[in-house]
mmCIF file of all heavy atoms in Angstrom:
data_model
loop_
_atom_site.group_PDB
_atom_site.id
_atom_site.type_symbol
_atom_site.label_atom_id
_atom_site.label_comp_id
_atom_site.label_asym_id
_atom_site.label_seq_id
_atom_site.Cartn_x
_atom_site.Cartn_y
_atom_site.Cartn_z
ATOM 1 N N SER A 589 46.861 9.216 15.146
ATOM 2 C CA SER A 589 47.652 9.765 16.238
ATOM 3 C C SER A 589 47.274 9.283 17.593
ATOM 4 O O SER A 589 47.996 9.408 18.560
ATOM 5 C CB SER A 589 47.492 11.313 16.185
ATOM 6 O OG SER A 589 46.172 11.692 16.522
ATOM 7 N N GLN A 590 46.132 8.586 17.687
ATOM 8 C CA GLN A 590 45.701 8.094 18.928
ATOM 9 C C GLN A 590 46.319 6.669 19.252
ATOM 10 O O GLN A 590 46.100 6.160 20.370
ATOM 11 C CB GLN A 590 44.131 7.945 18.990
ATOM 12 C CG GLN A 590 43.435 9.251 18.867
ATOM 13 C CD GLN A 590 41.919 9.016 18.686
ATOM 14 O OE1 GLN A 590 41.357 7.996 19.082
ATOM 15 N NE2 GLN A 590 41.265 9.965 18.085
ATOM 16 N N TYR A 591 47.031 6.217 18.276
ATOM 17 C CA TYR A 591 47.599 4.795 18.466
ATOM 18 C C TYR A 591 49.147 4.860 18.418
ATOM 19 O O TYR A 591 49.783 5.951 18.355
ATOM 20 C CB TYR A 591 47.103 3.938 17.339
ATOM 21 C CG TYR A 591 45.587 3.800 17.368
ATOM 22 C CD1 TYR A 591 44.750 4.652 16.644
ATOM 23 C CD2 TYR A 591 45.005 2.724 18.093
ATOM 24 C CE1 TYR A 591 43.410 4.523 16.649
ATOM 25 C CE2 TYR A 591 43.632 2.647 18.163
ATOM 26 C CZ TYR A 591 42.805 3.521 17.445
ATOM 27 O OH TYR A 591 41.479 3.389 17.493
ATOM 28 N N SER A 592 49.766 3.649 18.554
ATOM 29 C CA SER A 592 51.220 3.590 18.646
ATOM 30 C C SER A 592 51.928 3.907 17.369
ATOM 31 O O SER A 592 51.299 3.866 16.247
ATOM 32 C CB SER A 592 51.563 2.160 19.125
ATOM 33 O OG SER A 592 51.300 1.271 18.002
ATOM 34 N N THR A 593 53.224 4.099 17.468
ATOM 35 C CA THR A 593 54.043 4.292 16.267
ATOM 36 C C THR A 593 54.056 3.032 15.414
ATOM 37 O O THR A 593 54.113 3.046 14.174
ATOM 38 C CB THR A 593 55.503 4.672 16.672
ATOM 39 O OG1 THR A 593 55.415 5.815 17.443
ATOM 40 C CG2 THR A 593 56.377 4.904 15.512
ATOM 41 N N LYS A 594 54.005 1.877 16.124
ATOM 42 C CA LYS A 594 53.998 0.593 15.364
ATOM 43 C C LYS A 594 52.751 0.469 14.456
ATOM 44 O O LYS A 594 52.858 0.126 13.302
ATOM 45 C CB LYS A 594 54.029 -0.618 16.332
ATOM 46 C CG LYS A 594 53.944 -1.921 15.633
ATOM 47 C CD LYS A 594 54.034 -3.137 16.577
ATOM 48 C CE LYS A 594 53.832 -4.435 15.822
ATOM 49 N NZ LYS A 594 53.982 -5.604 16.686
ATOM 50 N N LEU A 595 51.617 0.893 15.016
ATOM 51 C CA LEU A 595 50.413 0.788 14.206
ATOM 52 C C LEU A 595 50.397 1.890 13.109
ATOM 53 O O LEU A 595 50.014 1.579 11.939
ATOM 54 C CB LEU A 595 49.159 0.948 15.118
ATOM 55 C CG LEU A 595 47.793 0.703 14.399
ATOM 56 C CD1 LEU A 595 47.826 -0.608 13.666
ATOM 57 C CD2 LEU A 595 46.692 0.778 15.408
ATOM 58 N N ARG A 596 50.890 3.074 13.439
ATOM 59 C CA ARG A 596 50.992 4.104 12.360
ATOM 60 C C ARG A 596 51.900 3.654 11.214
ATOM 61 O O ARG A 596 51.484 3.760 10.091
ATOM 62 C CB ARG A 596 51.649 5.345 13.048
ATOM 63 C CG ARG A 596 52.095 6.477 12.139
ATOM 64 C CD ARG A 596 52.701 7.575 12.924
ATOM 65 N NE ARG A 596 53.314 8.627 12.120
ATOM 66 C CZ ARG A 596 53.874 9.687 12.583
ATOM 67 N NH1 ARG A 596 53.948 9.857 13.918
ATOM 68 N NH2 ARG A 596 54.416 10.585 11.789
ATOM 69 N N ASN A 597 53.095 3.131 11.535
ATOM 70 C CA ASN A 597 53.990 2.700 10.481
ATOM 71 C C ASN A 597 53.437 1.503 9.651
ATOM 72 O O ASN A 597 53.548 1.509 8.455
ATOM 73 C CB ASN A 597 55.309 2.243 11.062
ATOM 74 C CG ASN A 597 56.096 3.485 11.610
ATOM 75 O OD1 ASN A 597 55.872 4.520 11.215
ATOM 76 N ND2 ASN A 597 57.045 3.164 12.476
ATOM 77 N N ASN A 598 52.801 0.552 10.271
ATOM 78 C CA ASN A 598 52.359 -0.672 9.631
ATOM 79 C C ASN A 598 50.993 -0.532 8.885
ATOM 80 O O ASN A 598 50.791 -1.075 7.888
ATOM 81 C CB ASN A 598 52.487 -1.842 10.556
ATOM 82 C CG ASN A 598 53.920 -2.178 10.811
ATOM 83 O OD1 ASN A 598 54.613 -2.684 9.906
ATOM 84 N ND2 ASN A 598 54.444 -1.823 11.952
ATOM 85 N N ALA A 599 50.087 0.229 9.542
ATOM 86 C CA ALA A 599 48.852 0.445 8.885
ATOM 87 C C ALA A 599 49.027 1.367 7.672
ATOM 88 O O ALA A 599 48.480 1.161 6.593
ATOM 89 C CB ALA A 599 47.775 1.070 9.825
ATOM 90 N N GLY A 600 49.926 2.313 7.837
ATOM 91 C CA GLY A 600 50.344 3.142 6.700
ATOM 92 C C GLY A 600 50.947 2.296 5.638
ATOM 93 O O GLY A 600 50.605 2.383 4.451
ATOM 94 N N GLY A 601 51.938 1.471 6.037
ATOM 95 C CA GLY A 601 52.661 0.624 5.045
ATOM 96 C C GLY A 601 51.713 -0.276 4.339
ATOM 97 O O GLY A 601 51.771 -0.483 3.058
ATOM 98 N N HIS A 602 50.763 -0.911 5.060
ATOM 99 C CA HIS A 602 49.793 -1.796 4.439
ATOM 100 C C HIS A 602 48.957 -1.059 3.410
ATOM 101 O O HIS A 602 48.790 -1.398 2.250
ATOM 102 C CB HIS A 602 48.934 -2.464 5.481
ATOM 103 C CG HIS A 602 47.678 -3.113 4.927
ATOM 104 N ND1 HIS A 602 47.781 -4.308 4.286
ATOM 105 C CD2 HIS A 602 46.413 -2.757 4.873
ATOM 106 C CE1 HIS A 602 46.548 -4.646 3.865
ATOM 107 N NE2 HIS A 602 45.735 -3.718 4.193
ATOM 108 N N TYR A 603 48.305 0.038 3.841
ATOM 109 C CA TYR A 603 47.420 0.840 2.944
ATOM 110 C C TYR A 603 48.133 1.339 1.745
ATOM 111 O O TYR A 603 47.650 1.227 0.620
ATOM 112 C CB TYR A 603 46.797 2.012 3.809
ATOM 113 C CG TYR A 603 45.791 2.796 3.021
ATOM 114 C CD1 TYR A 603 44.424 2.484 3.051
ATOM 115 C CD2 TYR A 603 46.229 3.809 2.195
ATOM 116 C CE1 TYR A 603 43.530 3.230 2.354
ATOM 117 C CE2 TYR A 603 45.204 4.541 1.431
ATOM 118 C CZ TYR A 603 43.918 4.245 1.519
ATOM 119 O OH TYR A 603 42.955 4.954 0.760
ATOM 120 N N ASN A 604 49.277 1.927 2.005
ATOM 121 C CA ASN A 604 50.068 2.511 0.891
ATOM 122 C C ASN A 604 50.406 1.516 -0.202
ATOM 123 O O ASN A 604 50.320 1.772 -1.392
ATOM 124 C CB ASN A 604 51.352 3.192 1.385
ATOM 125 C CG ASN A 604 51.040 4.344 2.366
ATOM 126 O OD1 ASN A 604 49.918 4.790 2.463
ATOM 127 N ND2 ASN A 604 52.081 4.794 3.034
#
Side-chain angles (χ1 to χ4, degrees):
S589 65
Q590 298 172 24
Y591 298 91
S592 69
T593 303
K594 178 178 176 177
L595 188 51
R596 169 182 173 179
N597 288 340
N598 289 285
H602 166 76
Y603 183 92
N604 297 348

